[in-house]
Coordinates of all heavy atoms in Angstrom, one line a residue:
M1 N -34.5 -31.5 5.4 CA -33.1 -31.4 5.9 C -32.1 -31.4 4.7 O -32.3 -32.2 3.8 CB -32.8 -32.5 6.8 CG -31.9 -32.1 8.0 SD -31.9 -33.2 9.3 CE -31.4 -34.7 8.6
G2 N -31.2 -30.5 4.6 CA -30.3 -30.4 3.5 C -29.2 -31.5 3.6 O -29.0 -32.2 4.6
V3 N -28.5 -31.7 2.5 CA -27.5 -32.7 2.4 C -26.2 -32.1 3.1 O -25.9 -30.9 2.9 CB -27.1 -33.0 1.0 CG1 -25.9 -34.0 0.9 CG2 -28.3 -33.6 0.3
R4 N -25.7 -32.8 4.0 CA -24.5 -32.4 4.7 C -23.3 -32.9 4.0 O -23.1 -34.0 3.8 CB -24.4 -32.9 6.1 CG -24.7 -31.8 7.1 CD -24.5 -32.3 8.5 NE -23.2 -32.0 9.0 CZ -22.6 -32.6 10.0 NH1 -23.3 -33.5 10.7 NH2 -21.4 -32.3 10.4
I5 N -22.4 -31.9 3.6 CA -21.2 -32.3 2.9 C -20.0 -32.0 3.8 O -19.8 -30.9 4.2 CB -21.0 -31.6 1.6 CG1 -22.2 -31.8 0.7 CG2 -19.7 -32.0 0.9 CD1 -22.2 -31.1 -0.6
T6 N -19.3 -33.1 4.2 CA -18.2 -32.9 5.1 C -16.9 -33.1 4.3 O -16.8 -33.8 3.3 CB -18.2 -33.9 6.2 OG1 -18.4 -35.2 5.7 CG2 -19.4 -33.6 7.2
P7 N -15.8 -32.5 4.8 CA -14.5 -32.7 4.1 C -14.2 -34.1 4.0 O -14.4 -34.9 5.0 CB -13.5 -31.9 5.0 CG -14.3 -30.9 5.7 CD -15.7 -31.6 5.9
A8 N -13.7 -34.6 2.8 CA -13.3 -36.0 2.7 C -12.1 -36.2 3.7 O -11.1 -35.6 3.6 CB -12.8 -36.2 1.3
S9 N -12.4 -37.1 4.6 CA -11.6 -37.2 5.8 C -10.1 -37.1 5.6 O -9.4 -38.0 5.0 CB -11.9 -38.5 6.5 OG -11.7 -39.5 5.6
G10 N -9.5 -36.0 6.0 CA -8.1 -35.8 6.1 C -7.3 -35.7 4.8 O -6.1 -35.5 4.8
T11 N -8.0 -35.7 3.6 CA -7.3 -35.5 2.4 C -7.0 -34.0 2.2 O -7.8 -33.2 2.3 CB -8.2 -35.9 1.2 OG1 -8.7 -37.2 1.4 CG2 -7.4 -35.9 -0.1
R12 N -5.7 -33.8 1.8 CA -5.3 -32.4 1.6 C -4.7 -32.3 0.2 O -3.9 -33.1 -0.2 CB -4.3 -31.9 2.6 CG -5.0 -31.2 3.8 CD -4.0 -30.7 4.8 NE -3.2 -31.8 5.3 CZ -1.8 -31.8 5.3 NH1 -1.2 -30.7 5.0 NH2 -1.2 -32.8 5.8
V13 N -5.1 -31.2 -0.5 CA -4.6 -31.0 -1.9 C -3.5 -29.9 -1.8 O -3.7 -28.9 -1.1 CB -5.7 -30.5 -2.8 CG1 -5.2 -30.2 -4.2 CG2 -6.8 -31.6 -2.8
G14 N -2.4 -30.1 -2.5 CA -1.4 -29.1 -2.7 C -0.9 -29.1 -4.1 O -1.1 -30.0 -4.9
V15 N -0.3 -28.0 -4.5 CA 0.3 -27.8 -5.8 C 1.7 -27.3 -5.7 O 2.0 -26.4 -5.0 CB -0.5 -26.9 -6.7 CG1 0.2 -26.6 -8.0 CG2 -1.9 -27.4 -7.0
D16 N 2.6 -28.0 -6.3 CA 4.0 -27.6 -6.3 C 4.2 -26.5 -7.4 O 4.2 -26.8 -8.6 CB 4.9 -28.8 -6.6 CG 6.4 -28.5 -6.6 OD1 6.7 -27.3 -6.7 OD2 7.2 -29.4 -6.5
N17 N 4.3 -25.3 -6.9 CA 4.3 -24.2 -7.9 C 5.6 -24.2 -8.7 O 5.6 -23.6 -9.8 CB 4.2 -22.8 -7.1 CG 2.8 -22.6 -6.6 OD1 1.9 -22.9 -7.3 ND2 2.7 -22.2 -5.4
D18 N 6.6 -24.8 -8.3 CA 7.8 -24.9 -9.1 C 7.7 -25.8 -10.3 O 8.4 -25.7 -11.3 CB 9.0 -25.4 -8.2 CG 9.4 -24.4 -7.2 OD1 9.1 -23.2 -7.4 OD2 10.0 -24.9 -6.1
R19 N 6.7 -26.7 -10.2 CA 6.5 -27.7 -11.3 C 5.3 -27.2 -12.2 O 5.4 -27.4 -13.4 CB 6.1 -29.0 -10.8 CG 7.2 -29.8 -10.2 CD 6.7 -31.1 -9.6 NE 7.8 -32.0 -9.2 CZ 8.1 -33.1 -9.8 NH1 7.4 -33.5 -10.8 NH2 9.1 -33.8 -9.3
C20 N 4.3 -26.6 -11.6 CA 3.1 -26.3 -12.3 C 3.4 -25.3 -13.5 O 4.0 -24.3 -13.3 CB 2.1 -25.7 -11.4 SG 0.6 -25.1 -12.2
E21 N 2.9 -25.7 -14.7 CA 3.0 -24.8 -15.9 C 1.7 -24.3 -16.3 O 1.5 -23.9 -17.4 CB 3.7 -25.6 -17.0 CG 5.1 -26.1 -16.7 CD 6.1 -24.9 -16.8 OE1 5.7 -23.8 -17.2 OE2 7.3 -25.1 -16.4
L22 N 0.7 -24.4 -15.4 CA -0.6 -23.8 -15.7 C -1.3 -24.4 -16.9 O -2.0 -23.6 -17.6 CB -0.6 -22.3 -15.8 CG 0.0 -21.6 -14.5 CD1 0.3 -20.1 -14.8 CD2 -1.0 -21.7 -13.3
Y23 N -1.2 -25.6 -17.2 CA -1.8 -26.3 -18.3 C -3.4 -26.4 -18.1 O -4.1 -26.5 -19.0 CB -1.3 -27.7 -18.6 CG 0.1 -27.7 -19.1 CD1 0.9 -28.8 -18.8 CD2 0.6 -26.7 -19.8 CE1 2.2 -28.9 -19.2 CE2 1.9 -26.7 -20.2 CZ 2.7 -27.8 -20.0 OH 4.0 -27.9 -20.4
G24 N -3.8 -26.4 -16.8 CA -5.2 -26.4 -16.5 C -5.9 -27.7 -16.6 O -7.1 -27.8 -16.6
I25 N -5.1 -28.8 -16.8 CA -5.7 -30.1 -16.9 C -6.4 -30.5 -15.5 O -7.5 -31.1 -15.5 CB -4.7 -31.1 -17.3 CG1 -4.2 -30.8 -18.7 CG2 -5.2 -32.6 -17.2 CD1 -2.9 -31.5 -19.1
C26 N -5.8 -30.1 -14.5 CA -6.4 -30.3 -13.1 C -7.8 -29.6 -13.1 O -8.7 -30.1 -12.4 CB -5.5 -29.8 -12.0 SG -5.0 -28.1 -12.2
V27 N -7.9 -28.5 -13.7 CA -9.2 -27.7 -13.7 C -10.3 -28.5 -14.4 O -11.4 -28.6 -14.0 CB -9.0 -26.3 -14.3 CG1 -10.4 -25.6 -14.3 CG2 -8.0 -25.5 -13.6
M28 N -9.9 -29.2 -15.5 CA -10.8 -30.0 -16.2 C -11.2 -31.3 -15.4 O -12.4 -31.7 -15.5 CB -10.3 -30.4 -17.6 CG -10.2 -29.3 -18.6 SD -9.7 -29.8 -20.2 CE -7.9 -29.7 -20.1
E29 N -10.3 -31.8 -14.7 CA -10.5 -33.0 -14.0 C -11.3 -32.8 -12.7 O -12.1 -33.6 -12.2 CB -9.2 -33.7 -13.6 CG -8.4 -34.3 -14.8 CD -9.0 -35.5 -15.4 OE1 -9.9 -36.2 -14.8 OE2 -8.7 -35.7 -16.6
A30 N -11.0 -31.6 -12.1 CA -11.7 -31.3 -10.8 C -12.1 -29.8 -10.8 O -11.5 -29.0 -10.0 CB -10.7 -31.6 -9.7
P31 N -13.1 -29.5 -11.5 CA -13.5 -28.1 -11.6 C -14.0 -27.5 -10.3 O -14.0 -26.3 -10.2 CB -14.6 -28.1 -12.7 CG -15.1 -29.5 -12.8 CD -13.9 -30.4 -12.4
G32 N -14.4 -28.3 -9.4 CA -14.8 -27.8 -8.1 C -13.7 -27.4 -7.2 O -13.8 -26.7 -6.2
L33 N -12.5 -28.0 -7.5 CA -11.4 -27.8 -6.6 C -10.3 -26.8 -7.2 O -9.7 -26.1 -6.5 CB -10.6 -29.1 -6.4 CG -11.3 -30.1 -5.4 CD1 -10.6 -31.4 -5.5 CD2 -11.3 -29.5 -4.0
F34 N -10.2 -26.8 -8.5 CA -9.2 -26.0 -9.2 C -9.8 -25.0 -10.1 O -10.8 -25.3 -10.7 CB -8.2 -26.9 -10.0 CG -7.4 -27.9 -9.2 CD1 -7.9 -29.2 -9.0 CD2 -6.2 -27.6 -8.7 CE1 -7.2 -30.1 -8.2 CE2 -5.4 -28.5 -8.0 CZ -6.0 -29.7 -7.7
A35 N -9.2 -23.8 -10.2 CA -9.6 -22.8 -11.1 C -8.4 -22.0 -11.6 O -7.5 -21.8 -10.8 CB -10.7 -21.9 -10.5
L36 N -8.4 -21.6 -12.8 CA -7.4 -20.6 -13.3 C -8.0 -19.2 -13.2 O -9.0 -18.9 -13.7 CB -7.0 -20.9 -14.7 CG -6.1 -22.1 -14.9 CD1 -5.9 -22.4 -16.4 CD2 -4.7 -21.9 -14.3
G37 N -7.3 -18.4 -12.4 CA -7.8 -17.0 -12.1 C -7.6 -16.1 -13.3 O -6.7 -16.4 -14.2
A38 N -8.2 -15.0 -13.3 CA -8.0 -14.0 -14.4 C -6.6 -13.5 -14.4 O -6.1 -13.0 -15.4 CB -9.0 -12.8 -14.2
D39 N -6.0 -13.6 -13.2 CA -4.6 -13.1 -13.1 C -3.6 -14.2 -13.6 O -2.4 -14.1 -13.5 CB -4.2 -12.7 -11.7 CG -4.5 -13.8 -10.7 OD1 -4.9 -15.0 -11.2 OD2 -4.3 -13.6 -9.5
G40 N -4.1 -15.3 -14.1 CA -3.3 -16.4 -14.6 C -2.7 -17.3 -13.6 O -1.9 -18.2 -13.9
R41 N -3.2 -17.1 -12.4 CA -2.7 -18.0 -11.3 C -3.7 -19.1 -11.1 O -4.9 -19.0 -11.2 CB -2.5 -17.2 -10.0 CG -1.4 -16.2 -10.1 CD -1.2 -15.5 -8.8 NE -0.8 -16.4 -7.8 CZ -0.2 -16.1 -6.7 NH1 0.1 -14.9 -6.4 NH2 0.0 -17.0 -5.8
L42 N -3.1 -20.3 -10.6 CA -3.9 -21.4 -10.3 C -4.4 -21.3 -8.9 O -3.7 -21.1 -8.0 CB -3.1 -22.7 -10.5 CG -3.9 -24.0 -10.2 CD1 -4.9 -24.3 -11.2 CD2 -2.9 -25.2 -10.0
R43 N -5.7 -21.4 -8.7 CA -6.3 -21.4 -7.4 C -6.9 -22.8 -7.1 O -7.4 -23.4 -8.0 CB -7.4 -20.3 -7.3 CG -7.0 -19.0 -7.6 CD -8.1 -18.0 -7.6 NE -7.6 -16.7 -8.1 CZ -6.8 -15.9 -7.5 NH1 -6.4 -16.1 -6.2 NH2 -6.4 -14.8 -8.1
F44 N -6.9 -23.1 -5.9 CA -7.4 -24.4 -5.5 C -7.8 -24.5 -4.1 O -7.4 -23.7 -3.2 CB -6.4 -25.6 -5.8 CG -5.2 -25.5 -5.0 CD1 -5.0 -26.2 -3.8 CD2 -4.1 -24.7 -5.4 CE1 -3.8 -26.1 -3.1 CE2 -3.0 -24.6 -4.7 CZ -2.8 -25.3 -3.5
R45 N -8.8 -25.4 -3.8 CA -9.2 -25.6 -2.4 C -8.5 -26.7 -1.8 O -8.3 -27.8 -2.5 CB -10.7 -25.8 -2.4 CG -11.4 -25.8 -1.1 CD -12.8 -25.3 -1.1 NE -13.5 -25.7 -2.3 CZ -14.0 -26.9 -2.4 NH1 -13.9 -27.8 -1.5 NH2 -14.7 -27.3 -3.5
K46 N -8.0 -26.6 -0.6 CA -7.1 -27.6 0.0 C -7.9 -28.8 0.4 O -7.3 -29.9 0.5 CB -6.4 -27.0 1.2 CG -5.2 -26.2 0.8 CD -4.4 -25.9 2.0 CE -3.2 -25.0 1.7 NZ -3.1 -23.9 2.5
H47 N -9.2 -28.7 0.8 CA -9.9 -29.8 1.4 C -11.1 -30.2 0.5 O -12.1 -29.5 0.4 CB -10.4 -29.4 2.8 CG -9.3 -29.0 3.7 ND1 -8.5 -29.9 4.3 CD2 -8.9 -27.8 4.1 CE1 -7.6 -29.3 5.0 NE2 -7.8 -28.0 4.9
P48 N -10.9 -31.4 -0.2 CA -12.0 -31.9 -1.0 C -13.2 -32.1 -0.1 O -13.1 -32.6 1.0 CB -11.5 -33.2 -1.6 CG -10.0 -33.2 -1.4 CD -9.8 -32.3 -0.2
L49 N -14.4 -31.8 -0.6 CA -15.6 -32.1 0.1 C -16.3 -33.4 -0.4 O -16.7 -33.4 -1.6 CB -16.6 -30.9 0.0 CG -16.1 -29.6 0.6 CD1 -17.1 -28.5 0.3 CD2 -16.0 -29.7 2.1
G50 N -16.4 -34.3 0.4 CA -17.1 -35.6 0.1 C -16.3 -36.5 -0.9 O -15.3 -36.0 -1.4
P51 N -16.7 -37.7 -1.0 CA -16.0 -38.7 -1.8 C -15.9 -38.3 -3.3 O -14.9 -38.6 -3.9 CB -16.8 -40.0 -1.7 CG -18.0 -39.6 -0.9 CD -17.9 -38.2 -0.4
E52 N -16.9 -37.6 -3.8 CA -16.8 -37.3 -5.3 C -15.6 -36.3 -5.5 O -14.9 -36.5 -6.5 CB -18.1 -36.6 -5.7 CG -18.3 -36.7 -7.2 CD -19.7 -36.2 -7.6 OE1 -20.7 -36.7 -7.0 OE2 -19.8 -35.3 -8.4
E53 N -15.5 -35.3 -4.7 CA -14.4 -34.3 -4.9 C -13.1 -35.0 -4.6 O -12.0 -34.7 -5.2 CB -14.6 -33.1 -4.0 CG -15.5 -32.1 -4.7 CD -15.4 -30.7 -4.1 OE1 -14.6 -30.5 -3.1 OE2 -16.0 -29.8 -4.6
K54 N -13.1 -35.9 -3.7 CA -11.8 -36.6 -3.4 C -11.4 -37.4 -4.6 O -10.2 -37.4 -5.0 CB -12.1 -37.6 -2.2 CG -10.8 -38.1 -1.7 CD -11.0 -38.6 -0.3 CE -10.7 -40.1 -0.1 NZ -10.9 -40.5 1.3
E55 N -12.4 -38.1 -5.3 CA -12.1 -38.8 -6.5 C -11.5 -37.9 -7.6 O -10.6 -38.2 -8.3 CB -13.3 -39.5 -7.1 CG -13.7 -40.7 -6.3 CD -12.7 -41.8 -6.4 OE1 -12.2 -42.1 -7.6 OE2 -12.3 -42.4 -5.4
Q56 N -12.1 -36.7 -7.7 CA -11.7 -35.7 -8.7 C -10.2 -35.3 -8.3 O -9.4 -35.1 -9.3 CB -12.6 -34.5 -8.7 CG -14.0 -34.8 -9.3 CD -14.8 -33.5 -9.4 OE1 -14.3 -32.4 -9.2 NE2 -16.1 -33.7 -9.8
A57 N -9.9 -35.1 -7.1 CA -8.6 -34.7 -6.7 C -7.6 -35.8 -7.1 O -6.5 -35.4 -7.6 CB -8.5 -34.5 -5.2
V58 N -7.9 -37.0 -6.9 CA -7.1 -38.1 -7.3 C -6.9 -38.1 -8.8 O -5.8 -38.3 -9.3 CB -7.6 -39.5 -6.8 CG1 -6.8 -40.6 -7.4 CG2 -7.6 -39.5 -5.3
A59 N -8.0 -37.9 -9.5 CA -7.9 -37.8 -11.0 C -7.0 -36.7 -11.5 O -6.2 -36.8 -12.4 CB -9.3 -37.7 -11.6
A60 N -7.1 -35.5 -10.8 CA -6.3 -34.4 -11.2 C -4.8 -34.7 -10.9 O -4.0 -34.3 -11.7 CB -6.8 -33.2 -10.3
A61 N -4.6 -35.3 -9.8 CA -3.2 -35.6 -9.5 C -2.6 -36.6 -10.5 O -1.4 -36.5 -10.9 CB -3.1 -36.3 -8.1
R62 N -3.4 -37.5 -11.0 CA -3.0 -38.5 -12.0 C -2.8 -37.8 -13.3 O -1.9 -38.2 -14.1 CB -4.0 -39.6 -12.2 CG -4.0 -40.6 -11.1 CD -4.5 -42.0 -11.6 NE -4.7 -42.9 -10.5 CZ -5.9 -43.1 -10.0 NH1 -7.0 -42.6 -10.6 NH2 -6.1 -43.9 -9.0
A63 N -3.7 -36.9 -13.7 CA -3.7 -36.3 -15.0 C -2.7 -35.2 -15.2 O -2.3 -34.9 -16.3 CB -5.1 -35.7 -15.3
C64 N -2.2 -34.6 -14.1 CA -1.3 -33.5 -14.2 C 0.0 -34.0 -14.9 O 0.7 -34.8 -14.4 CB -1.0 -32.9 -12.8 SG 0.3 -31.6 -13.0
P65 N 0.3 -33.4 -16.1 CA 1.5 -33.9 -16.8 C 2.8 -33.6 -16.1 O 3.8 -34.2 -16.4 CB 1.4 -33.1 -18.1 CG 0.6 -31.9 -17.9 CD -0.4 -32.3 -16.8
L66 N 2.8 -32.7 -15.1 CA 4.0 -32.4 -14.4 C 4.1 -32.9 -13.0 O 4.9 -32.5 -12.2 CB 4.2 -30.8 -14.5 CG 4.4 -30.3 -15.9 CD1 4.2 -28.9 -16.0 CD2 5.8 -30.7 -16.4
Q67 N 3.1 -33.7 -12.7 CA 3.0 -34.2 -11.3 C 3.1 -33.2 -10.3 O 3.8 -33.3 -9.3 CB 4.0 -35.3 -11.1 CG 3.6 -36.7 -11.8 CD 4.8 -37.4 -12.4 OE1 5.9 -37.3 -11.9 NE2 4.5 -38.1 -13.5
A68 N 2.4 -32.0 -10.5 CA 2.5 -30.9 -9.6 C 1.4 -31.0 -8.5 O 1.5 -30.3 -7.5 CB 2.4 -29.6 -10.4
V69 N 0.4 -31.8 -8.8 CA -0.7 -31.9 -7.8 C -0.3 -33.0 -6.8 O 0.0 -34.1 -7.1 CB -2.0 -32.3 -8.4 CG1 -3.1 -32.5 -7.4 CG2 -2.4 -31.3 -9.5
V70 N -0.2 -32.6 -5.5 CA 0.2 -33.5 -4.4 C -0.9 -33.7 -3.5 O -1.6 -32.7 -3.0 CB 1.4 -32.8 -3.7 CG1 1.9 -33.7 -2.6 CG2 2.5 -32.4 -4.6
L71 N -1.2 -34.9 -3.2 CA -2.3 -35.2 -2.2 C -1.6 -35.8 -1.0 O -0.7 -36.6 -1.1 CB -3.2 -36.3 -2.8 CG -4.0 -35.8 -4.1 CD1 -4.9 -36.9 -4.5 CD2 -4.7 -34.5 -3.9
R72 N -2.1 -35.3 0.1 CA -1.6 -35.8 1.4 C -2.7 -36.3 2.3 O -3.9 -36.0 2.1 CB -0.9 -34.7 2.1 CG 0.4 -34.2 1.5 CD 1.2 -33.4 2.4 NE 2.5 -33.0 1.7 CZ 2.6 -32.0 0.9 NH1 1.5 -31.2 0.7 NH2 3.7 -31.7 0.3
G73 N -2.3 -37.1 3.2 CA -3.3 -37.6 4.2 C -4.0 -38.8 3.6 O -3.5 -39.6 2.9
D74 N -5.3 -38.9 4.0 CA -6.1 -40.1 3.7 C -6.6 -40.0 2.3 O -7.7 -39.5 2.1 CB -7.2 -40.2 4.8 CG -8.3 -41.2 4.3 OD1 -8.0 -42.1 3.6 OD2 -9.5 -40.9 4.7
V75 N -5.8 -40.5 1.3 CA -6.2 -40.4 -0.1 C -7.0 -41.5 -0.6 O -7.9 -41.4 -1.3 CB -4.9 -40.2 -0.9 CG1 -5.3 -40.2 -2.4 CG2 -4.2 -38.9 -0.5
H76 N -6.7 -42.7 -0.1 CA -7.3 -43.9 -0.7 C -8.4 -44.5 0.2 O -9.0 -45.5 -0.2 CB -6.3 -45.0 -0.9 CG -5.2 -44.5 -1.9 ND1 -5.4 -44.3 -3.2 CD2 -3.9 -44.2 -1.7 CE1 -4.3 -43.8 -3.8 NE2 -3.4 -43.8 -2.9
G77 N -8.7 -43.8 1.3 CA -9.7 -44.4 2.2 C -11.1 -44.2 1.7 O -11.4 -43.6 0.7
Ligands
SF4_101 S1 -2.6 -29.8 -14.4 FE1 -0.7 -29.6 -13.2 S2 0.6 -28.2 -14.4 FE2 -1.5 -28.0 -15.1 S3 -2.4 -26.3 -14.0 FE3 -2.9 -28.2 -12.9 S4 -1.2 -28.4 -11.4 FE4 -0.5 -27.0 -12.9

């Protein structure tokens, strides 16, 4: 039986595009969630999967120099 990965309950990731300057630090902190596309735009997945990605999402939010990463919902659970 494979490992079942479920979305980290209720945590939602968002990026404030007015603040984001595409430094890519969030990509380094959470490579599974954030990516810089070839078109220079930041892409990200809204729903972290499992506790590890949730931790990474929190780390990305902390590390973003412009506080552009916004976490909503059940972040600390
Ligand atoms: S670390 Fe912040 S400013 Fe840099 S790309 Fe990510 S969201 Fe944008």
Side-chain angles (χ1 to χ4, degrees):
M1 219 164 56
V3 178
R4 252 187 92 197
I5 303 175
T6 51
S9 53
T11 308
R12 267 182 302 132
V13 178
V15 172
D16 181 342
N17 287 318
D18 292 336
R19 284 175 174 252
C20 176
E21 296 286 351
L22 300 170
Y23 291 152
I25 294 163
C26 56
V27 180
M28 287 187 274
E29 294 289 340
L33 283 173
F34 296 90
L36 283 173
D39 58 1
R41 295 185 58 161
L42 181 70
R43 299 176 194 286
F44 61 97
R45 191 148 37 76
K46 282 194 181 127
H47 300 284
L49 294 175
E52 198 173 311
E53 275 197 358
K54 191 158 119 178
E55 283 299 310
Q56 288 186 10
V58 171
R62 281 209 193 102
C64 175
L66 297 163
Q67 280 142 35
V69 177
V70 183
L71 301 182
R72 293 197 177 81
D74 164 31
V75 174
H76 300 291

